[in-house]
Amino acid sequence: MLSIQSTEQLTGARISGDFWDLDELINAIYAITGDENKYYDYQGARNRILGVCYNLRHATQGDYHIEFVGNGLNKSILTQHQMVVPEKNVYFSTEIFWPELIFTAIALNDFIRLHQERIDASDWNIHIATIRKFQATVAESLEQELDEEEYLLFLKMLHTKTPLTFRYATQYVDVLNIEYIHLSTEERKAHLAAFALRLMLEDEEYIALKEQLIEAAKTTKNALHELQININYPDEIIW
């Protein structure tokens, strides 16, 4: 079963599951986000989502963390069926910064809507069901870190703003990631709700950054989502 829990220092959340849990989510994301440039005005958001997907894929290859989780078997069942099998399953996990994870969950709403409008509007779509479960698990983990009022405000904004990531300057997610990393654990706890809301508010800082990127895009002839900003992540992350 897919699990998402805040890390010890609240730097991000740890996504964990067995190979098939993560593989199912990865395949669902690829199916819903479509081929490259399919939804061009959402390409920046698609790239960020696939960045998380990249981490999940490497997790399934054992590149990050491996743990053993009870699978429900016990000695009584094993004796009854005369079986000799492991009583624990292998789970893989990876950490994602909280602003990055929240943005991913938000942006997936746009791709679900696009997929339903242009590809498959069926309520029985297995890929959409998988992503909705992932989003719900993110929301459940986020709810545990926020006050009830903060969480309800976040949900209200999420449900009233559509589309969420149309031509979004996703470099702003890097800005928020770095700003969040440099807070103390107590400050992260106090301000996590504000970071979640800033991903949707398009405040003055976001607008200023996007205007700078638009001017740079005119000069370089690159697409907005292709531009890099001068920002460096720490070499070592204390999760």
Side-chain angles (χ1 to χ4, degrees):
M1 181 179 72
L2 192 74
S3 170
I4 300 176
Q5 299 290 334
S6 285
T7 59
E8 291 74 10
Q9 303 301 320
L10 206 63
T11 313
R14 185 173 292 110
I15 305 174
S16 63
D18 67 21
F19 176 88
W20 301 111
D21 294 327
L22 299 183
D23 187 68
E24 179 183 44
L25 176 58
I26 291 165
N27 289 329
I29 289 173
Y30 277 117
I32 295 302
T33 55
D35 297 332
E36 186 175 4
N37 297 326
K38 183 176 183 64
Y39 307 118
Y40 189 77
D41 289 320
Y42 297 86
Q43 188 61 29
R46 179 180 182 273
N47 289 345
R48 300 297 307 204
I49 293 170
L50 294 185
V52 172
C53 218
Y54 175 87
N55 278 13
L56 294 174
R57 177 64 72 191
H58 276 270
T60 65
Q61 296 170 356
D63 291 343
Y64 302 129
H65 311 291
I66 295 177
E67 57 184 327
F68 297 93
V69 178
N71 57 20
L73 289 175
N74 55 46
K75 291 182 179 180
S76 176
I77 295 174
L78 296 175
T79 301
Q80 178 184 350
H81 292 276
Q82 298 182 342
M83 300 170 63
V84 180
V85 295
E87 297 179 26
K88 294 185 176 181
N89 290 346
V90 176
Y91 268 47
F92 304 94
S93 63
T94 184
E95 294 98 349
I96 305 294
F97 298 122
W98 259 123
E100 189 82 44
L101 183 59
I102 294 170
F103 179 82
T104 299
I106 288 171
L108 282 168
N109 268 351
D110 283 334
F111 287 95
I112 289 174
R113 176 181 53 81
L114 290 166
H115 190 81
Q116 289 175 326
E117 290 175 355
R118 305 184 188 186
I119 308 296
D120 180 8
S122 170
D123 291 334
W124 298 77
N125 187 298
I126 189 66
H127 298 306
I128 292 177
T130 298
I131 290 177
R132 286 299 189 202
K133 183 178 179 181
F134 167 70
Q135 290 175 305
T137 309
V138 173
E140 182 180 37
S141 182
L142 182 62
E143 184 179 13
Q144 294 174 8
E145 306 300 341
L146 305 184
D147 294 338
E148 181 178 1
E149 185 177 341
E150 293 173 334
Y151 183 68
L152 291 176
L153 177 59
F154 171 74
L155 290 183
K156 181 179 180 181
M157 288 196 63
L158 183 62
H159 292 146
T160 56
K161 189 176 186 298
T162 302
L164 291 157
T165 59
F166 178 77
R167 295 180 181 172
Y168 194 88
T170 52
Q171 295 86 344
Y172 190 57
V173 182
D174 288 308
V175 172
L176 294 184
N177 282 341
I178 294 297
E179 187 177 331
Y180 185 76
I181 291 169
H182 285 97
L183 298 178
S184 68
T185 304
E186 292 74 20
E187 289 172 329
R188 291 169 188 164
K189 179 68 175 178
H191 299 294
L192 180 56
F195 277 81
L197 294 175
R198 286 169 67 187
L199 287 164
M200 294 182 286
L201 281 174
E202 299 186 10
D203 56 14
E204 292 182 1
E205 184 179 2
Y206 171 82
I207 292 172
L209 174 64
K210 187 170 183 178
E211 288 177 350
Q212 293 174 9
L213 290 169
I214 290 173
E215 289 303 312
K218 291 178 181 177
T219 303
T220 62
K221 308 302 180 183
N222 288 327
L224 187 68
H225 63 264
E226 295 175 337
L227 297 172
Q228 302 291 321
I229 60 175
N230 185 21
I231 199 165
N232 295 311
Y233 284 83
D235 292 333
E236 182 178 357
I237 304 296
I238 301 175
W239 293 99

